Amino acid sequence: MSKPWAIRLATEADLDDIMQIERECFASDAWSADGMYDELTGAEKFYIVATIDEKLVGYAGLNKQPVVHQSDIQTIAVSPTLRGKGLGRDLMEHLLAEAKRCNCTEVFLEVRADNPVARKLYETLGFEQIDIRKRYYQPDDVDAIVMRAALGAAGNTEPLVLGIESSCDETGVGIVRGNTLLANVISSSMEQHARFGGVVPEVAARAHLEALLPTLNEALVTAKVSLDEIDAVAVANGPGLAGALMVGVGAAKSLAVSLNKPIYAVNHLVGHVGVDILERGELETPTIALLVSGGHTSLLLVRNLLHDFELLVETIDDAAGEAFDKVARVLGLQYPGGPEIDKAAADGDPNAIRFPRGLMLPKDMEKNRYNFSFSGLKTAVARHVEVLNTKGEEVPIADVAASFREAVVDVLVSKAVNACIDHNVPRLLLGGGVIANRRLRELAKQRCDENGIELRIPALSLCTDNGAMIAAIGAQLVMAGRKPSGLTFGADSTLQVTTVQTL
Ligand code: KG4
Ligand code: ZN
């Protein structure tokens, strides 16, 4: 059913009609006509009126303070003949939409303690009591209840968020609407690092600079949105390579400032975990997350995506992907080593050589139950190859690759499953580029099935570093009504996973 009233911006010409309703509604504490005139014509004020057949039946006003991202509801009044028909809610929703439009994240109001109907309405719009002003309304001696609404929660349930990721060698720009993925564009500088056998930080940083704009433009085209429609910008500010992160952070800040949109500085590792939301609509917690890439090898216990992460363990030396890359080099295979070793191992015997499993001996399990170490394994492979070379024997590349892969995967999966069992968490989530490994997926599935653990493996394009996961966390922060980050945060190469958002 369409509404019987129309809502439009108020003008000075409405003053008399407004004053008539003002006096009808507020009697003893009605504003003066001069005071109302100042409100209608003031800077940063937003006044609207509701009319039926040109007759004024209600009005409402907002005082905007966009610099501090706050607004105050100044007044709202509905002609007595139209009470209980939803006009008050409609006017309030218009004010909240305007506050949101100018990037306010909080809205405040005061309401008479003896007006339970209004208080109820404000509560259903997301307002909560934060204070009380004793005997504020005179001469009636009535208290004022001060209420606050976080606009992220109340006003924006499906924010359009653009996320930028540049922590290593992938320039990623993702766009989400709430929990829905709209675009995930990745430009990788991997080829430029191939001749060095690993990521060169300066080369990566320069590549981000060149790739950012084209990647951004492609993401906008894919998502079919324009920049001015974006509600917030999110960026990974760590952990990662400092120079590489700086490019993304700088770009995100410039975008946020030029578009006048809030910015959210997001933890890259949290992104890897939260990306699951884009496929399932929510993240089931608690969950253990195993993140394995060229830069990290971490086991996390996640109780709540936005505020409860525990780092159970990091590698004490090489990351798992790094071990793949280094061993590939020893075997004369291309960079990145992971896919090459996966390919070579396909025809090999995983039990041909028993390579060491780092920190898996009973004595290590006491002290380093979840710690990872891959440098001993890497050295063992190098020594094995060296001995064969010295003897002039051919290196059985397929067998070495398969045996090495089995050792890495065995350690990763065993420790992840142990963490699930020890913490009584029946869920394991995988993330990071190494998840592409076929044997890792296979063994994880098998061991999880054996132990009654639910295994989640996001699509590969969401497992490797990408901007969509950063946008997904940004959207969660907006929807939870979190304050945006300021503009003073920087790239933090060693950012701890306990810091979900840097303010
Ligand atoms: O997450 P990612 O794309 O980027 C960063 O490390 O930041 O992961 C890349 C890493 C590389 O070390 C690569 O060798 C490894 O993931 N990788 C693999 C496989 N595909 C990629 N490792 C093992 N098996 C694979 N199939
Ligand atoms: Zn990563």
Side-chain angles (χ1 to χ4, degrees):
M1 202 179 78
S2 70
K3 296 168 191 157
W5 56 80
I7 291 184
R8 61 164 170 80
L9 282 175
T11 70
E12 287 170 46
D14 296 314
L15 183 62
D16 289 346
D17 293 340
I18 286 177
M19 283 311 296
Q20 196 180 331
I21 298 180
E22 174 81 11
R23 291 188 196 103
E24 258 179 302
C25 291
F26 302 112
S28 60
D29 47 30
W31 287 354
S32 69
D34 283 351
M36 187 63 84
Y37 177 83
D38 289 346
E39 282 289 303
L40 291 179
T41 55
E44 304 292 5
K45 306 279 177 175
F46 175 80
Y47 271 75
I48 49 175
V49 292
T51 57
I52 296 179
D53 299 333
E54 308 286 314
K55 184 173 159 37
L56 213 127
V57 289
Y59 59 89
L62 186 77
N63 181 31
K64 300 183 281 185
Q65 301 180 66
V67 178
V68 290
H69 301 291
Q70 294 176 346
S71 285
D72 299 292
I73 306 281
Q74 296 291 88
T75 184
I76 172 164
V78 170
S79 169
T81 53
L82 271 153
R83 301 260 166 91
K85 295 190 165 49
L87 175 54
R89 168 179 291 275
D90 201 11
L91 287 166
M92 281 294 292
E93 281 173 351
H94 274 74
L95 296 188
L96 292 175
E98 171 64 12
K100 196 186 107 192
R101 202 194 58 74
C102 53
N103 297 326
C104 290
T105 52
E106 292 176 300
V107 181
F108 298 88
L109 60 78
E110 280 151 11
V111 57
R112 287 173 69 107
D114 61 358
N115 189 350
V117 177
R119 280 167 67 181
K120 187 87 215 136
L121 166 67
Y122 301 149
E123 275 165 17
T124 64
L125 287 163
F127 283 85
E128 280 173 354
Q129 176 172 343
I130 54 163
D131 202 359
I132 184 159
R133 299 208 173 110
K134 289 284 173 202
R135 305 168 67 191
Y136 181 79
Y137 294 101
Q138 292 299 334
D140 305 345
D141 245 8
V142 173
D143 299 342
I145 308 290
V146 185
M147 302 182 90
R148 168 190 175 274
L151 268 195
N156 203 345
T157 51
E158 290 232 296
L160 188 65
V161 180
L162 180 137
I164 297 179
E165 154 63 39
S166 69
S167 66
C168 191
D169 58 344
E170 272 100 11
T171 313
V173 178
I175 299 176
V176 304
R177 191 185 297 282
N179 294 341
T180 310
L181 176 66
L182 301 185
N184 181 25
V185 180
I186 297 164
S187 160
S188 174
S189 61
M190 197 180 277
E191 280 173 14
Q192 297 181 44
H193 308 286
R195 66 194 168 104
F196 303 106
V199 177
V200 183
E202 287 75 12
V203 175
R206 179 179 297 227
H208 284 307
L209 213 52
E210 285 164 6
L212 235 151
L213 271 182
T215 311
L216 171 70
N217 287 332
E218 197 182 326
L220 291 166
V221 170
T222 308
K224 298 191 181 68
V225 298
S226 62
L227 267 183
D228 54 352
E229 289 174 74
I230 300 288
D231 293 310
V233 178
V235 62
N237 71 318
L241 303 170
L245 287 164
M246 262 181 235
V247 179
V249 167
K253 284 185 184 175
S254 335
L255 260 181
V257 170
S258 63
L259 297 171
N260 189 25
K261 298 293 174 185
I263 187 168
Y264 291 81
V266 167
N267 188 307
H268 171 91
L269 296 177
V270 174
H272 274 304
V273 178
V275 79
D276 197 39
I277 287 174
L278 297 176
E279 288 185 331
R280 279 210 290 197
E282 64 175 311
L283 179 78
E284 278 186 66
T285 50
T287 187
I288 297 285
L290 170 67
L291 306 183
V292 268
S293 73
H296 29 259
T297 306
S298 330
L299 262 180
L300 311 172
L301 168 57
V302 188
R303 293 191 196 88
N304 181 295
L305 183 65
L306 297 190
H307 57 77
D308 197 345
F309 270 76
E310 191 180 323
L311 177 64
L312 296 177
V313 142
E314 276 264 275
T315 172
I316 57 174
D317 39 56
D318 293 341
E322 210 178 341
F324 272 95
D325 296 336
K326 288 179 177 169
V327 165
R329 225 165 139 188
V330 168
L331 295 178
L333 303 172
Q334 292 285 314
Y335 173 85
E340 294 291 315
I341 289 191
D342 227 6
K343 237 185 283 163
D347 308 321
D349 174 6
N351 301 313
I353 310 141
R354 175 78 192 171
F355 285 126
R357 268 74 169 151
L359 303 182
M360 288 280 280
L361 295 172
K363 71 173 168 47
D364 294 322
M365 290 298 277
E366 268 172 40
K367 235 178 76 200
N368 284 301
R369 187 156 179 75
Y370 309 122
N371 276 344
F372 293 112
S373 168
F374 295 107
S375 83
L377 170 60
K378 176 191 68 190
T379 311
V381 176
R383 197 156 300 145
H384 185 84
V385 171
E386 203 181 288
V387 169
L388 291 177
N389 282 339
T390 325
K391 287 199 225 156
E393 288 177 25
E394 198 185 326
V395 178
I397 291 187
D399 285 350
V400 175
S403 302
F404 160 76
R405 180 178 72 171
E406 195 63 18
V408 176
V409 164
D410 185 18
V411 172
L412 289 174
V413 174
S414 301
K415 297 219 172 198
V417 168
N418 278 346
C420 289
I421 295 169
D422 290 354
H423 290 87
N424 201 15
V425 171
R427 267 170 230 110
L428 176 63
L429 176 74
L430 307 185
V434 179
I435 301 306
N437 192 282
R438 244 175 292 164
R439 180 64 186 143
L440 175 60
R441 291 163 167 257
E442 197 178 275
L443 193 67
K445 176 89 181 71
Q446 182 195 324
R447 299 257 179 95
C448 282
D449 283 352
E450 284 165 10
N451 290 283
I453 297 166
E454 184 200 349
L455 178 68
R456 281 292 303 164
I457 310 180
L460 195 60
S461 58
L462 296 174
C463 272
T464 52
D465 289 348
N466 66 84
M469 65 184 190
I470 304 304
I473 302 297
Q476 296 303 306
L477 293 168
V478 172
M479 290 189 284
R482 293 292 177 87
K483 244 172 72 172
S485 305
L487 283 174
T488 52
F489 72 86
D492 184 347
S493 59
T494 58
L495 185 65
Q496 298 300 303
V497 72
T498 39
T499 306
V500 173
Q501 180 196 1
T502 306
L503 284 172

